[in-house]
Amino acid sequence: MSTWTIIEKSLPSLLVAMLKYTIPLTLISFALGLILAVLVALIRISESHNPLMRGLKGLAWFYVWIFRGTPLLVQLFIVFFGLPALKVNGHALIELNAWTAGILTFSLNTGAYASETIRASIQSIPQPQWEAAYALGMTRPKVLWRIILPQAARVSLPPLSNSFISLVKDTSLASGITIIEMFQVSQQFAALYYNPLVSYSLVAFLYLMLSTLLTVLQSYLERRTSRYVRVGQQF
Amino acid sequence: MLSVDHLTKDFGNGRGLHDVSVQFPAEQTTVIVGPSGSGKTTLLRHLDFLETADAGRYRFDDLDYDLSQPLTKQEVLAARQKLGIVFQSYNLFPHLTVLGNIIEGPVHVRHMAKAEAVTQATTLLAQVGLADKASAYPDELSGGQQQRIAIARMMAMQPEYMLFDEPTSALDPELEVEVLRVIQQLATAHNSLIIVTHNMAFAESVADHIVFVEDGTIGYDGDPHTFFAQPTDRIRRFLAAGTFTA
């Protein structure tokens, strides 16, 4: 079968898998991961000494340690195949369908990396910005929300875009926990037409198109959020 | 009236403030002078709780704090909302326009209606001579312009006391003059000002009250005329050091 015929026959299914699984999995996980990341970052930079906050700080540290320190594929396998093995009186304590397990794991994994990005971005905003805001009579949450986070968002945009693009590609690992996402579909075509080079190159091209789209989006957002700074050298 | 009594702060290495007591009279301009590293900026920052004292007493109208005890957030806010400060490095919010900087406090701290805050900001911008810069970002302005915006931002909070921490130390002489002129107008209008400065000519021209800080203690606290006309030996040496002679 010719290369073009293979492409013609597999492209519609691949695009359906992209729209039904790859893109939703990425968008939902990234959104949840980002919310989690901001919370974790705020906990980790907290200066409060109350026992609850200290406990949360320990927990946040532990979470980032685990999710950055172990392979994403292994995390997916533990959540999907491993957790149902926790049994009480012969009944599984936690049983997640593949979709839920995927979203949960991708969100937690992205959140761990992004929390470090956001923490570093917050800490990159100079101390005098805090002082100027405090001097206006703002409380700490208000300083963060009105003055520090908007500036930190600009700083964190390029590294967060990295995480986003990584996540698009990492959703291919969901094929390992029975989700029929784009890469899983391409594996089926590779087996059907006996031409792995064409099938896998085609799916690689589709991932590349998605990443490219995100890169364009990143440039646009960078321009928008950098309106107030003079970027680059001016000689 | 704003005052501190027996204010003490030890930064280690011998620097800090040692048992400092000063009164800052209302509707007067107090100028704090002294050699670099003497503690004059530290003293000013303590007034706005940007530093945490080890001990002392802080009084401001009806507020009366024992600084050896940790203060609550509400206590700190109560004082800060009656004070405004202008920093040496301006510290404007770079992500907000000039107008955004000036209305930030009134709208988000004092809950003033936005339209009212904008009207006030427009008046203030005209007062500091930058009426045409409302929609500019701080990065697009000169140092002198940024500092005048910082003064407008501080005034927008209608503080009882206006604090200035070496407001022109980062500026060229030409730009310095435009900032000093704005501060001088505030002083002439009988606002309550506390100014830390290295500029002795300016200090002499605006001060109603001079405080000389040296090694974390008060070396002089009184009227400017005596300070400049009949200085002690130590003050004479300090004043002479600021005069360049070829």
Side-chain angles (χ1 to χ4, degrees), chain A residues 129 131 142 146 228 230, chain B residues 45 92 94-95 104 108 139:
Chain A
Q129 287 289 305
E131 288 186 358
K142 198 161 267 180
R146 295 285 317 164
Y228 63 85
R230 300 198 210 175
Chain B
R45 288 169 58 83
L92 293 176
H95 62 301
E104 181 67 20
H108 294 281
D139 230 30

Side-chain angles (χ1 to χ4, degrees), chain B residues 142-175:
Chain B
S142 73
Q145 290 172 329
Q146 289 194 48
Q147 193 61 300
R148 285 186 280 156
I149 300 301
I151 293 172
R153 174 176 72 176
M154 182 263 305
M155 289 166 68
M157 296 300 282
Q158 301 166 8
E160 290 180 34
Y161 275 73
M162 303 180 181
L163 278 44
F164 295 84
D165 182 12
E166 303 192 24
T168 61
S169 298
L171 298 172
D172 296 339
E174 281 169 77
L175 302 180

Side-chain angles (χ1 to χ4, degrees), chain A residues 178-191:
Chain A
T178 76
I179 295 179
I180 318 293
E181 48 67 64
M182 202 160 57
F183 181 52
Q184 173 73 264
V185 172
S186 79
Q187 284 176 300
Q188 292 169 5
F189 283 117

